[in-house]
Structure formats: structure tokens, C-alpha cells
Amino acid sequence: MAVYFKNYTKKNYNAVCDFLIELNRNDNSHINWNWARFEWMAEHPEFDKSATDSIGLWLDNERIVGAAIYDMYFGEAFCGAFPEYSDLYPEILDYAYRELKDENGLGVSICDDNTAQIKAAQAPGFVKAEQTETVMSMELDSVLPVELPDGFRFASLDPSKEPYEFQWLLWQGFDHGTDRSAFEQAEEIIPQIRRHFQSSMSVATIDRNGEYAAYCCVWVHPKTDYAYIEPVCTVPHHRGKGLAKAVVYKALNRAKSLGAKKVYVISDTVFYEKLGFHKDRHFTFYWKGVG
């Protein structure tokens, strides 16, 4: 059967995750777009769910072999195909530009080592931009030391069961402020239900007053041998106490017990270097404007 195109529907969710898992199985040059990033994004409050039918899929005998997926909003997109279907990449890129651009155009993130995709993007006028992404990684070959300061304890935080606490913690942790009334006016409190979420991988710390102080979620899947971190944060008045390190290491030890041999995170910060991560892959955005 020849490769054919279709637009995404909710029925394709697991198939897209499987495609991203397979895409990164033997070559992590697309690891910045893995199944867990897709899952995290799909239920993120800022994700534009009204446009999901614009996601493009290329199938061969009912198997997804290529995809064009917008990132939160139109204007940035992931484009990828299995190596044996690499000749589809220009078509996927063309579709993404036509259907997923915003008023300024479209940007796609391409691994610096993927010279074929860079050339394919430059051919229709995509140009290298200053925007980049770095993926860091660490081998999970030993149990990591976990230490909490006095007055704190670990807890699992489930955004499907405790959406208010979860969103309030992230609101503070990502520096939106500490005014609870401003948070309540700005945020719609919605339970976030993700298909492969495991509450044991969603680790928080609670202070002696019963308030959540730091958070880390690690994503694992039985079809992979790696874990993915998204997100990590600490509320401002509890920073500098080692809480972020504690929740990350606690979650990674649990991931290791489930079979994860390696962990990835999209970051280039000194924080992760101090935890033992190293820079694994670097991605550069290529942009094409409108007109």
C-alpha cells in the first residue's frame, strides 16, 4: 500500500506516541520530540486543542511513518519521518509551513547533526535562526543519593486529583508570582488527565506547614529504556535548600526501578550539570517567514 496522508484525530493519540517512540529508538536526533513531550503538551493549559485536526500524519499500511505537529500554538512545529521514509521530509515540511504557520511564519527545530534535514529545510527558504534547544542526558547506572532538609517530606502530586494544588505550585515555581488571588483569577482549574501518567513519578516536597514547595515529574514508558523530565520547579521562598535536586533524584530512582537506563531533559542549565547531566544533542531552529 502506498503512503497516504490523514489529519490527526484523538483516535490516533497512542499511534503518535508509538511513532515518536520508534523514531527515537535507535537514533536520538529527534529526542527533543519524544512521546512524553507530546503527552505533556497535549494536556497543557496553553496547548491549542481547537487545532489538533491540523496535525498531519503520513501512514503506510495503517502505521504512522511521518508527522507534522505544532508546538503549543501555530508558528513552531516538529517535522519527522522514519529513516526509510526520509524522502517524505520535504512534503511534511511543506505541509507544516502551509498549515501550521502563524502570522509570522514557521520555525522548525532540527538537530545540528542532521545535515539531510537541514538541506531539505534550506531548499524551500528556511533560514537558520538564533533560537536553539539543548537536550541533556544522564545514565541511570546507580542509585542517586536523596537528601531532604529538616521540616520537609516527599509526597506524590496528581494533577488529575489535585489540580488546584498542582497549578498553584507551578504558578509560583515558574515565577508568575505569589499572589493567590491573581492566580485564581488567571488560571482555570482543570484536572489534567494524561494517558501514561504515573503518580509515583510525580514527586513533590511538602514543608512543615503542609504547603507544596518543590516538584518534579518524570515520564517512563514500557516501550522505552529512557525517562524524560518535565517539569521541575521550586517556589521562590524555598529555593537554595536542595529541594529540586531531592525531587529529581527521588523520581529518577523510581524511574530506574522501572527499567529506565537513561534520562533526558530539554535544558542547558548549570543546575542539571551539577546533578550529573551532560549535553547530548543540540538543535537549531530554521525559520521561514510569510510572503
Side-chain angles (χ1 to χ4, degrees):
M1 180 182 292
V3 174
Y4 64 97
F5 170 86
K6 68 167 291 186
N7 291 104
Y8 173 88
T9 70
K10 290 183 179 179
K11 294 181 179 179
N12 302 122
Y13 181 88
N14 282 331
V16 170
C17 288
D18 287 343
F19 163 72
L20 293 171
I21 288 170
E22 185 64 27
L23 186 67
N24 287 291
R25 190 177 302 282
N26 298 313
D27 177 5
N28 72 349
S29 61
H30 292 291
I31 199 62
N32 63 324
W33 266 91
N34 57 67
W35 74 272
R37 176 172 176 169
F38 176 72
E39 175 142 317
W40 170 254
M41 180 188 73
E43 290 301 324
H44 195 284
E46 295 183 9
F47 179 61
D48 185 1
K49 293 184 179 181
S50 68
T52 56
D53 60 354
S54 296
I55 293 173
L57 304 176
W58 283 256
L59 293 88
D60 188 349
N61 196 26
E62 303 302 316
R63 173 181 177 238
I64 298 175
V65 298
I69 306 170
Y70 63 95
D71 187 1
M72 290 293 188
Y73 303 96
F74 284 5
E76 292 184 13
F78 160 76
C79 296
F82 289 147
E84 62 269 33
Y85 294 88
S86 60
D87 58 333
L88 288 174
Y89 189 77
E91 178 183 336
I92 295 171
L93 193 62
D94 178 67
Y95 173 85
Y97 179 74
R98 287 186 289 105
E99 301 297 333
L100 305 181
K101 67 178 180 292
D102 64 10
E103 66 275 9
N104 297 312
L106 181 75
V108 292
S109 178
I110 303 176
C111 182
D112 292 354
D113 299 326
N114 201 327
T115 55
Q117 287 192 356
I118 292 172
K119 289 181 180 178
Q122 290 174 329
F126 283 81
V127 296
K128 186 176 181 179
E130 293 184 1
Q131 184 179 355
T132 64
E133 284 183 329
T134 298
V135 174
M136 304 180 77
S137 69
M138 182 173 69
E139 301 294 330
L140 297 178
D141 49 12
S142 61
V143 176
L144 298 164
V146 178
E147 297 180 8
L148 268 184
D150 292 341
F152 293 87
R153 61 183 174 87
F154 289 113
S156 294
L157 179 58
D158 189 334
S160 68
K161 297 177 180 178
E162 301 172 274
Y164 184 97
E165 292 80 1
F166 176 76
Q167 290 177 230
W168 173 230
L169 174 56
L170 266 61
W171 175 272
Q172 298 172 86
F174 287 102
D175 297 321
H176 295 296
T178 57
D179 185 332
R180 193 181 289 266
S181 62
F183 159 73
E184 292 175 349
Q185 291 177 11
E187 287 282 293
E188 183 180 4
I189 308 303
I190 301 175
Q192 297 178 23
I193 301 172
R194 294 178 168 91
R195 299 193 191 188
H196 302 100
F197 172 81
Q198 298 182 51
S199 60
S200 64
M201 297 291 104
S202 181
V203 181
T205 58
I206 295 178
D207 66 17
R208 56 172 47 93
N209 297 317
E211 296 288 333
Y212 287 104
Y215 179 74
C216 172
C217 191
V218 170
W219 303 84
V220 293
H221 196 290
K223 294 182 179 179
T224 73
D225 62 356
Y226 60 84
Y228 174 71
I229 296 175
E230 182 74 63
V232 175
C233 67
T234 304
V235 300
H237 62 280
H238 281 312
R239 291 174 184 167
K241 301 175 182 179
L243 297 177
K245 177 181 179 179
V247 290
V248 170
Y249 276 7
K250 183 76 169 180
L252 291 182
N253 283 340
R254 292 177 178 178
K256 176 177 167 45
S257 72
L258 294 178
K261 299 177 181 178
K262 192 172 186 176
V263 56
Y264 294 103
V265 64
I266 299 177
S267 179
D268 61 357
T269 63
V270 174
F271 167 73
Y272 286 106
E273 290 183 357
K274 290 181 177 179
L275 296 190
F277 285 74
H278 68 273
K279 294 179 181 179
D280 193 306
R281 291 282 191 172
H282 187 264
F283 300 80
T284 299
F285 277 80
Y286 289 78
W287 287 88
K288 183 178 180 180
V290 296

